[in-house]
Amino acid sequence: MISKEALEQLLPSLEQDRIEKTISVNDAQKFGDAICSFANDLANHRQPGYLIIGANDDGTKAGMTITEQNLQTLLSFRTDGRIVPPPSMIVERFVYPDGELAVVEVQPHFMPPVRFNGRVCIRAGIRRGYASEADERILTEKRTAFAHSFDVLPCKGSSLDDISIELFKLRYLPSAIASDVLAENGRDLKEQLASLKFYDLKEDCPTYAGLLMFGSNGVAANKAR
C-alpha cells in the first residue's frame, strides 16, 4: 500500500489514468467504474491506480471524516460480484489534521478485460468511460500475453463447431453483459467469446474455459487429453 508520505506527493497531481479524486462517500457507480478502469490498465502502466476519497481536484483535503462503514463499502467491490474477475485491491484510511482520506489501491489485473456490472471501464488520461471494440481487443491481447492458468489457454485443434453457440448467446451472454451494451454490440461471435475469455483470437480456437462452459458432451475432456 502507498505510504502516507507518497500519498502527500501524489495528491497535488492532476487526475490521470492512475489517479481519481472525489469528495463523495456513497457514489457506488463512480467507485466501481474507477476500480474497474484501474484494474484494466488500458495504458499498460503495470502500476497500481488510486481512488482517493476525501480530496478535492486540486489535492487539498475536504475536511471529511472517513467511517468504518465507508471503508467496508469500498472493500465490498472486491468480493460482491459486481466486478468480474475480482480486482486485487487494498483499502486504507489516512488521518491528517485537515481531514481524513480513504484510499483504494488497485493493481492491474492479469486477466483483462475486467467488467463492472457487465461493462468494461477504462481510463484514457483524465477521461473515464467504457471500452470501445478496439479497446477490448487490446485488453484481450494483453490477457493472452500473460495467461498462465489452464482454463484461459487456447485449446489447439478445437473450433467453433465444438461450442454450443445457442447456450452462449441465449443463456450466458445476457447475464454477463449489460443489455444496452449488447444492443449496440457490433462484435462478431469470436470477439464476443474472446472478450469473456472463452476464445483465443491469436490461435483462432476456443480456450479450455470455453469448451468446459459450452462444449458438447465430452468435448472438453477429449480435447484436454
Side-chain angles (χ1 to χ4, degrees):
M1 184 66 178
I2 192 171
S3 67
K4 197 170 186 179
E5 294 74 18
L7 179 59
E8 283 277 24
Q9 296 176 0
L10 192 67
L11 281 172
S13 304
L14 296 175
E15 285 201 358
Q16 50 186 276
D17 43 15
R18 291 185 52 233
I19 304 171
E20 180 157 348
K21 290 170 278 191
T22 181
I23 58 173
S24 172
V25 294
N26 55 15
D27 192 337
Q29 186 68 44
K30 176 182 284 190
F31 297 164
D33 283 351
I35 293 168
C36 181
S37 65
F38 293 147
N40 276 318
D41 186 27
L42 180 65
N44 205 30
H45 292 298
R46 302 188 187 182
Q47 297 181 57
Y50 294 95
L51 171 62
I52 305 171
I53 295 97
N56 297 305
D57 290 341
D58 62 3
T60 58
K61 301 173 190 70
M64 295 169 55
T65 299
I66 302 297
T67 67
E68 186 65 28
Q69 182 58 50
N70 297 147
L71 299 177
Q72 290 299 324
T73 297
L74 293 167
L75 280 168
S76 69
F77 285 95
R78 185 172 60 185
T79 57
D80 64 8
R82 285 178 290 178
I83 301 180
V84 180
S88 174
M89 52 180 273
I90 301 173
V91 178
E92 191 165 324
R93 175 171 48 202
F94 292 84
V95 179
Y96 297 91
D98 51 347
E100 298 181 3
L101 303 174
V103 178
V104 185
E105 181 180 88
V106 185
Q107 298 293 334
H109 208 288
F110 70 98
M111 287 179 59
V114 177
R115 287 179 166 79
F116 171 57
N117 288 339
R119 296 176 175 86
V120 179
C121 308
I122 58 167
R123 283 191 76 100
I126 63 172
R127 183 185 71 85
R128 173 164 48 80
Y130 300 122
S132 66
E133 182 177 347
D135 294 330
E136 281 202 34
R137 179 178 285 273
I138 291 171
L139 293 171
T140 299
E141 290 173 351
K142 280 176 56 180
R143 180 193 71 228
T144 302
F146 293 100
H148 296 294
S149 59
F150 173 78
D151 57 327
V152 298
L153 292 175
C155 182
K156 297 180 181 181
S158 63
S159 70
L160 281 180
D161 293 337
D162 297 320
I163 284 182
S164 170
I165 306 305
E166 181 180 0
L167 180 61
F168 172 69
K169 298 199 77 167
L170 299 183
R171 298 185 62 180
Y172 184 88
L173 200 58
S175 66
I177 306 295
S179 58
D180 59 323
V181 175
L182 281 177
E184 59 186 33
N185 196 335
R187 298 165 180 79
D188 63 27
L189 177 61
K190 290 181 180 179
E191 290 172 332
Q192 289 178 331
L193 285 161
S195 72
L196 293 164
K197 308 174 182 63
F198 299 132
Y199 200 88
D200 188 294
L201 292 173
K202 183 178 179 180
E203 297 292 342
D204 195 23
C205 66
T207 62
Y208 287 102
L211 293 173
L212 288 168
M213 287 289 292
F214 311 112
S216 56
N217 290 339
V219 167
N222 291 332
K223 295 291 184 181
R225 291 188 183 126

